[in-house]
Amino acid sequence: MQNILIATEHYKELDDFLINSDARSLLLVCDDSLQFLRIKDYFDTLEDRTGIKVVRFSDFKPNPLYESVVEGIKVFHKNKCDLIVAVGGGSAIDVAKCIKLYSNMDDSKNYLKQKIVPNEITLLAVPTTAGTGSEATRYAVIYFNGEKQSVADYSCIPSIVLFDASALKTLPIYQKKSTMMDALCHAIEAYWSVNSTEESIGYSREAIQLIIANKESYLANDETGNANMLKAANLAGKAINITQTTAGHAMCYKLTSLYNIAHGHAAALCDTVLIPYMIKHLEQCIDPRGAEHLNKVYAGIAEAMGCKSVNQLVTAFSKIVNDLEFKPITVSSSNDIDVLKTSVNPVRLKNHPIKLTVEVIEELYRQILNVGE
C-alpha cells in the first residue's frame, strides 16, 4: 500500500517520516529543476536539522542511460545510503527505481541480464510534474546501447509519495499542458484496456473526473488545481500499473521523436483520432468480454468526462485538445507515414480493445498529420 503525504509549507510531514525511518544517509536523485523548487531549501538544511546526510545524484539526462544508473548505485554504496528520495519528473523517478532495484545485485554483471531480487530499501518519490504517474507504477525506462529497455517489477514502486503542489508552479505552460494530457490519456486508455479490472476502472474514473474538474485552475497555476492534478496523475498511474497502455501510447512514441513534441502532446493527438474510430467500429471488438462490455466502457468514459452520450465524448475530447492550442506538426518528409506505421509496438496493441490493422493505423496517422494519400 502506497503512503501518500501532502506537503505543508515547512515539510513537517517529510521531517516526521525521515526521522522515524532512522535513515542516516539518503541518496537524493534529482534533475536540474530542483534549483527552482521550494523543497531545495528543505534538503539543503536537512543534515543540520536532523543529522541525516543528503547525497545528491544528478548525473543523468532525459531518456536516462543504463550507465547513469550504474553510477548512481556506486554513489549509493560509497556513501552508505540507506534510503532513496527521487525529486523530479519521470526520468528522475525511473533512475531512482532502477538504483533501488539493482542496488543489491551483482555489480560484476549487467544488471539488465540478472533476475531482480526485491529488497527493503525505502524509495520516496516527489513528482514535479502531474502526468507520467511514474511514482505509482512498476515500470521504468532506461537506454542501453541506444536501445530502450523497459524494466518492470512491483518492488520498485515507491512506498512513499509526497505531493508538493508548489513544485508545479515553475513548469513551462507547454509542459503543464502536455503532462495533463498524458495523465488523461493514461486514465482513458486504462479504462478501455482489455486488461481493465474493477479496481483499475475505479482509478481511471476518479482520475478523469479530477482532470476535467481541475484543468482550468491547474493551467492557471492555482494551488488547489495543481494539488488535484498531482492526485489525478497518481490515480491514472495506478490504473496503468494494472492494465498497461494501449494503441494511443503505442502510436505516440515515434510522433514524439520524429517531430520533437512532448509525449503527452503526442498521446493526445493519437487518442483524438482513436476515440471516434473505436466508437464507430464496435464490431471489431477483441476484448474477450465482448462488444456489450466495451460499449459500457465508452459510456463510462463519457460520463466521467461530463458527457451525456458516447457521441459527445468525441467532441468533448477534441475540444480539450484544441483548446490547449498545441503548435501544429509540420510534416518533414513524404516517408513520414511509412516510418510511423512501422514504429507501432505490437505488444501494446494486444491491450487495445479494437482490432487495428496496418492499413487502419496508416489512416489514423494521416488524420493526425492532416495528409492525404
Side-chain angles (χ1 to χ4, degrees):
M1 185 72 176
Q2 192 173 68
N3 186 14
I4 303 293
L5 304 177
I6 307 298
T8 51
E9 184 178 357
H10 299 294
Y11 299 101
K12 182 183 182 300
E13 59 293 317
L14 189 52
D15 254 3
D16 291 344
F17 168 76
L18 291 175
I19 292 169
N20 290 333
S21 73
D22 293 324
R24 292 167 295 176
S25 178
L26 67 82
L27 183 70
L28 177 61
V29 181
C30 55
D31 53 34
D32 292 338
S33 68
L34 182 67
Q35 62 185 311
F36 304 109
L37 304 179
R38 189 183 71 183
I39 202 169
K40 175 183 180 296
D41 292 336
Y42 173 84
F43 287 109
D44 285 346
T45 60
L46 184 64
E47 185 170 7
D48 289 341
R49 290 184 294 101
T50 66
I52 301 172
K53 181 181 178 183
V54 177
V55 180
R56 181 169 173 172
F57 179 72
S58 306
D59 189 14
F60 60 90
K61 298 178 180 179
N63 301 320
L65 303 178
Y66 168 82
E67 290 78 8
S68 295
V69 172
V70 172
E71 185 60 31
I73 295 168
K74 291 178 181 177
V75 173
F76 179 84
H77 287 303
K78 180 181 178 180
N79 291 277
K80 298 180 180 179
C81 298
D82 44 19
L83 187 145
I84 303 170
V85 177
V87 178
S91 294
I93 295 174
D94 282 359
V95 168
K97 285 178 174 180
C98 290
I99 292 173
K100 170 181 164 60
L101 284 178
Y102 301 152
S103 61
N104 65 335
M105 292 165 59
D106 187 347
D107 62 4
S108 68
K109 301 175 183 177
N110 188 313
Y111 294 121
L112 292 166
K113 297 180 180 179
Q114 299 181 51
K115 181 181 178 180
I116 293 171
V117 179
N119 60 62
E120 299 300 317
I121 297 169
T122 298
L123 172 57
L124 184 153
V126 186
T128 58
T129 64
T132 68
S134 179
E135 77 283 355
T137 73
R138 65 187 186 272
Y139 307 111
V141 173
I142 56 176
Y143 286 78
F144 181 69
N145 291 339
E147 295 294 324
K148 178 182 175 183
Q149 307 292 320
S150 294
V151 180
D153 195 87
Y154 280 98
S155 68
C156 79
I157 301 175
S159 55
I160 311 291
V161 174
L162 176 72
F163 288 161
D164 183 4
S166 72
L168 305 187
K169 282 191 171 292
T170 59
L171 287 176
I173 188 62
Y174 176 64
Q175 193 173 5
K176 292 201 76 168
K177 291 176 180 179
S178 60
T179 50
M180 178 183 74
M181 291 310 300
D182 192 18
L184 182 57
C185 291
H186 276 167
I188 290 174
E189 290 185 41
Y191 208 132
W192 68 40
S193 170
V194 300
N195 303 316
S196 68
T197 65
E198 185 176 344
E199 180 184 8
S200 72
I201 287 174
Y203 291 143
S204 290
R205 184 185 298 112
E206 187 176 356
I208 293 168
Q209 291 171 338
L210 274 171
I211 292 167
I212 297 304
N214 291 277
K215 57 187 173 66
E216 283 84 8
S217 58
Y218 161 76
L219 293 174
N221 235 348
D222 174 78
E223 186 172 351
T224 300
N226 285 342
N228 284 330
M229 200 60 69
L230 280 169
K231 181 180 180 181
N234 181 265
L235 288 165
K238 283 183 165 72
I240 286 295
N241 190 51
I242 295 171
T243 67
Q244 301 179 286
T245 51
T246 63
H249 272 66
M251 292 176 63
C252 83
Y253 288 104
K254 198 62 181 181
L255 284 172
T256 299
S257 59
L258 196 59
Y259 300 111
N260 193 30
I261 61 175
H263 171 73
H265 177 181
L269 294 177
C270 292
D271 283 343
T272 298
V273 298
L274 274 166
I275 290 171
Y277 180 85
M278 291 170 64
I279 291 172
K280 290 178 182 177
H281 292 85
L282 200 59
E283 77 283 356
Q284 296 295 325
C285 175
I286 57 175
D287 189 313
R289 293 167 290 190
E292 184 178 351
H293 162 80
L294 188 54
N295 206 30
K296 290 180 180 177
V297 164
Y298 294 158
I301 295 171
E303 183 180 3
M305 289 189 61
C307 303
K308 295 181 179 179
S309 69
V310 170
N311 287 333
Q312 282 188 7
L313 173 60
V314 176
T315 304
F317 190 86
S318 294
K319 185 177 187 307
I320 290 171
V321 178
N322 290 335
D323 286 350
L324 293 176
E325 298 182 334
F326 287 129
K327 184 178 179 180
I329 291 176
T330 301
V331 178
S332 55
S333 168
S334 58
N335 296 325
D336 284 6
I337 294 294
D338 289 333
V339 171
L340 288 164
K341 73 180 183 183
T342 57
S343 71
V344 177
N345 184 344
V347 174
R348 285 193 171 90
L349 291 185
K350 292 178 181 179
N351 305 325
H352 198 72
I354 293 290
K355 182 180 179 180
L356 299 175
T357 64
V358 174
E359 293 75 21
V360 169
I361 290 171
E362 177 177 348
E363 175 54 32
L364 293 173
Y365 274 128
R366 290 189 182 280
Q367 291 178 34
I368 291 168
L369 300 179
N370 195 27
V371 296
E373 296 290 340

